[in-house]
Amino acid sequence: MSSFLVISIIVVYLAFIFYVAYWAEKNSKSKWVNNPYIYALSLAVYCTAWTYYGSVGLAATSGLKFLTIYIGPIIIIPSWIILMKKIIRITKGNKISSLADFISLRYGNDRFLGALVTIVCVLAIVPYISLQLKAISETFNVITNHTISGNSIINDTTFYIAILLAIFAAFFGTKYTDATEHHKGIITAVAVESIIKLVFFLAIGVYVTFYLFNGPSDIYEQASLLPNFNSQQTINGLGGGFNWFFLSLLSMVAIMLLPRQFQVAVVENKRERYLKKVAWFFPLYLLLFNVFVIFIAWGGNIIFQNQGVDADLFTLMLPLKNNNEFLALLVFLGGFSAAISMVVLSSLALSTMLSNNLIIPYGFLSKYSRGESKENTESIKNIRRISIFSLIIVAYFFYKNFTLDRSLVSIGLISFVVIAQLAPAFFGGLFWRRGSSKGAKYGIIIGFLVTAYTLILPFIIDSQVIESSFVNEGLFGVELLKPYDLFELNLFEPVPQAFFWSLFFNITVYVIVSVNIIGSYRERNFAEMFVDNSKYASLHEDAYVWKGEAYVKDIRKVLIRFLGTRRTERALNLFFMKYKMDVNNQLADARLVNFSEKLLTGSIGSASARILISSVVKEEEISLKEVLSILDETQKTKETNKELQERDKQKDDFLDTVAHELKTPITSIRALSEILLDNEDVDYETKNKFLSSILNESERVSRLINNILDLEKLASGKEKLDLNKNSIKSTIHKSVEAVTQLAINKKIEISETEVTDANVIFDEDRIQQVIINLLSNAIKFSDKEKGKIAVRTKINEHRIEVSVEDNGKGIHSDELISIFDKFYQVKNQTVLKPVGSGLGLAISRQIIQSHKGLIWADNVKPIGARLTFTIPLNIKKHEKVIDSR
Amino acid sequence: MKKLLIVDDEPNIVMSLEYLFKKEKFEVFIARDGAEALEIVKKNKLDIILLDIMMPNVDGYQVLKYLKENKDFKEIKVIILSAKNKTTDIELGLKLGADKYIAKPFSTKNLVKEVKQLLKLKYI
């Protein structure tokens, strides 16, 4: 295919991607841009050109091992619903914009740690980016039939592509100074590319499997005749199993900690609930991508047997060999889109880290503390733009000047191992309070050095074909120090070996240093906030411990330098409103200091934000103990406040009900007396009826008031019970006598035959009140003439049980408990209005509780309700029985 | 003769209102809860309803909502008579379409005046 045609197609394709990004930015509110599928698809930036070409290459030369790179993510991603949620909450709550910022903030706004993480990421990712450029360049040469690439940059198409990608990333990636803003253009473009690369890869898979061969079984049969076939397609014993295990673990870490993955999964996440979609969608995407890998690899092995074709290029060579240029072009474009997504997002993520965690905190703080907001934000954006260009250009020269002859997969995996050095600090910081900044730093450094020794050095030596005894005989000829078999551990292949040893040393150092050296109070403050995120997230700025002296106007000045006057005022007004503070407050508190740090964090990184804010405030040292006790107290105050509010509400409700209950009789009294007063001609009978109603309603009011007072007295424990030894039988009898008239009126029978006597200690008047209440209730709900009520007792060694049973319609099962609530009125009541105040059962419950007994209601068969209370037998005479709440 | 319905579960309040409006030559109907009220509404062409809110089963708000959503009954004037007199209660009542909200305890003279005013308005 002519270069001109391919270049034109590339230009059209890039124009399309630019347009998608542009459209998404313009329609940033559209549901096409904001949905969980875009989010899930953008995660597929994980599948780079390596997936396209490298995994086929790996499958062709070493069998199924390529799967480990996808098994890790598939295993870990369902757990994101919990794990990633926590990470996203912390990130959003603190306005974190990158992995470096996350780790730096967790260990107390540590500037050096942020820079260290940034450097590790750059070292890991730049070669990885150059690998993508290499893939573009090589496949371009294959498809255009160039055997040698132009050596001068001017003739190299890849160089121009790299520049275009840098422009793309810089244009859509630095629109806002606040790096926590979502880059919807880039993300949508990446999501679209994820669809393109998958569809094209499936197309070539189907082509190879069903067109070049007769389906999977045909390929299998032919491939199984090849030499090495059997040994390739097994896990290969225990040693191989360990390799599989560690490689899967490695990719598990990579899917979370690669800078571009952190960018798409955490920083660009819009809603937590998107994670639920991702949990099944993304593993499915990876599975689809891998369905045909093995068939393409076997197909390539069969067709290109002994022809010396680079297995990494099978995907492209298979259609070319069969003169299907169109399909070859699709493959090229798929690989191209995979490569450019990775380049754009990686350079974007790295540029944020470079600016916010390395360049600004170490070089620009004093400049910014004097500059105006416009200059400052422009300067921040320029730093990021320059970073993007530099990263891509450095990656380009890296690829140009080092003969990266090794298979695509090697460099990618080295990147993974280097990035994995951040895992102990990251996950440790997330789950272990004691993890300290010193531990994190030493751990990362040691881990990196071990990786360099066991993997990077030998790799460079191998790839540059430098004669050296280092790899085969170990440093200074010491066998124990052979980089690929460190300490004679020769179970592993180089990558899992390096991963194992580097993390072994990394974690050991991290843990030992953290346990032995106590970090600063700030570190511990953030440790609490990160580890116990669910507990402190609701406290917002209150979870930040700070003591010192600060003025609002100084802080305002700093904010204005970055946000401008308008945004600063708006943010501060919101803050004052949130905490109901006076806008004219002169002194700033811990919350404002934390709030301001967060406001700046998105633009200049957490370490710089902290340095700038602390330059205008006078801070006092606090001891670690104090931090913990303040945090604890804040948490408790918040809980107490909630409790108080709850109690207030209950009190309000109670007062409302009381007011309503009092107003009802007063309404009758007022209306009736007004009528009597206004109408002199009321006949004698009516007048009598009205006057006796007024009398009844007045009695109702006073009864209500007495009951309320009674209840309050009992509940507050102000009234002591008059405890004496009494005969329960006689108390019951007195109570029954009190309601006899009521029962006779309704022709209801009350039986006391099942009452046995016992001498028990209780307050006779109060217990009599309870029994009368229960009896009048039973009478009220019993039918006239048919009603039968029975009082019974049961005694055992611990308590006496008294029950009142009727044969009324019973109590609805929902209401068995609530009938004891104040003013509770039974639903579907046939009796129009209860004679009582609605407080009888509530008072009874209070009295029984004061006696440390129980009271409950249940229904009996065939029909009827039974209310039962108990009094314990071990109450001592004149024991103070109060506080039943 | 104007037809007036009293909806309340307090017998003494009902008694006073009944006396009051019979004396003013109204034809008076009485319902002791919301369900009864709806029965009466369906059977008689009423002019005005004095409606309590806190009642067992179907409460006043439900009655009001039913009336105002039904084209046969939405012209009937409704005065809410309730002991609930928080602003939110009053707003809810008026939003649902009540013509007046009078808090208990009320002045009988004032109530008669409001009722007459409302009914006269209907014929202007």
Side-chain angles (χ1 to χ4, degrees), chain A residues 656 660 663-664 666-668 670-672 674-675 678-679 682 686 689-690 693 697 700 828 832-833, chain B residues 9-13 15-17 19-20 23 32 54 56-57 83-86 104-109:
Chain A
D656 269 358
H660 185 265
K663 275 178 189 172
T664 305
I666 290 174
T667 305
S668 301
R670 172 163 184 187
L672 293 169
E674 216 177 325
I675 292 172
D678 291 346
N679 302 284
V682 184
T686 314
K689 205 166 74 185
F690 279 19
S693 289
E697 295 288 356
R700 182 169 159 196
N828 303 318
L832 271 180
K833 266 277 156 171
Chain B
D9 57 342
E10 279 290 328
N12 287 329
I13 294 179
M15 185 169 80
S16 64
L17 291 174
Y19 181 88
L20 204 60
K23 200 165 167 292
R32 295 182 218 178
M54 303 263 275
N57 305 327
K84 287 163 72 119
N85 65 342
K86 275 190 289 190
K104 283 178 185 170
F106 51 84
S107 134
T108 49
K109 269 182 276 195

Side-chain angles (χ1 to χ4, degrees), chain A residues 107 110 113 424 432-447 504-520 523:
Chain A
Y107 296 100
D110 195 308
L113 189 54
W432 189 39
R433 289 178 172 74
R434 288 290 301 272
S436 77
S437 111
K438 284 214 173 70
K441 281 181 225 168
Y442 294 141
I444 292 172
I445 292 171
I446 295 286
F504 174 78
F505 285 110
N506 186 332
I507 293 172
T508 310
V509 169
Y510 173 66
V511 171
I512 289 176
V513 174
S514 293
V515 168
N516 287 304
I517 303 177
I518 290 174
S520 73
E523 236 182 285

Side-chain angles (χ1 to χ4, degrees), chain A residues 12-188:
Chain A
V12 171
Y13 178 78
L14 283 177
F16 167 67
I17 294 302
F18 270 64
Y19 178 74
V20 169
Y22 174 77
W23 181 87
E25 287 282 347
K26 268 210 120 164
N27 299 284
S28 60
K29 298 251 169 356
S30 155
K31 68 173 193 309
W32 289 95
V33 178
N34 303 294
N35 65 66
Y37 294 103
I38 294 285
Y39 175 67
L41 282 168
S42 71
L43 289 175
V45 71
Y46 184 71
C47 302
T48 61
W50 167 12
T51 306
Y52 235 79
Y53 303 112
S55 45
V56 171
L58 193 63
T61 53
S62 359
L64 294 172
K65 213 188 300 152
F66 75 95
L67 278 176
T68 51
I69 305 307
Y70 306 99
I71 290 174
I74 289 172
I75 293 173
I76 193 81
I77 277 183
S79 81
W80 276 17
I81 295 176
I82 295 160
L83 179 64
M84 195 49 98
K85 202 190 218 165
K86 180 171 182 178
I87 297 172
I88 287 173
R89 282 204 180 150
I90 294 171
T91 304
K92 295 221 164 115
N94 293 291
K95 295 275 267 171
I96 290 167
S97 58
S98 69
L99 183 64
D101 225 22
F102 191 96
I103 296 178
S104 141
L105 187 67
R106 157 63 180 80
Y107 296 100
N109 304 76
D110 195 308
R111 176 162 73 154
F112 176 74
L113 189 54
L116 180 67
V117 172
T118 305
I119 291 169
V120 168
C121 287
V122 170
L123 288 178
I125 304 303
V126 167
Y128 200 178
I129 295 177
S130 58
L131 193 71
Q132 304 300 316
L133 297 177
K134 180 193 166 190
I136 294 174
S137 156
E138 267 190 5
T139 52
F140 179 79
N141 287 338
V142 169
I143 200 163
T144 55
N145 259 327
H146 281 264
T147 35
I148 353 135
S149 61
N151 257 341
S152 82
I153 297 170
I154 308 296
N155 293 329
D156 190 359
T157 325
T158 311
F159 179 73
Y160 297 105
I161 293 172
I163 296 295
L164 279 176
L165 294 183
I167 292 174
F168 179 75
F171 182 74
F172 288 107
T174 60
K175 284 207 141 156
Y176 314 98
T177 356
D178 186 341
T180 56
E181 292 279 349
H182 295 159
H183 303 94
K184 287 180 178 161
I186 291 182
I187 292 301
T188 312

Side-chain angles (χ1 to χ4, degrees), chain B residues 21-33:
Chain B
F21 285 100
K22 275 192 173 153
K23 200 165 167 292
E24 296 289 338
K25 307 283 178 237
F26 279 81
E27 185 180 345
V28 178
F29 297 84
I30 290 164
R32 295 182 218 178
D33 65 22

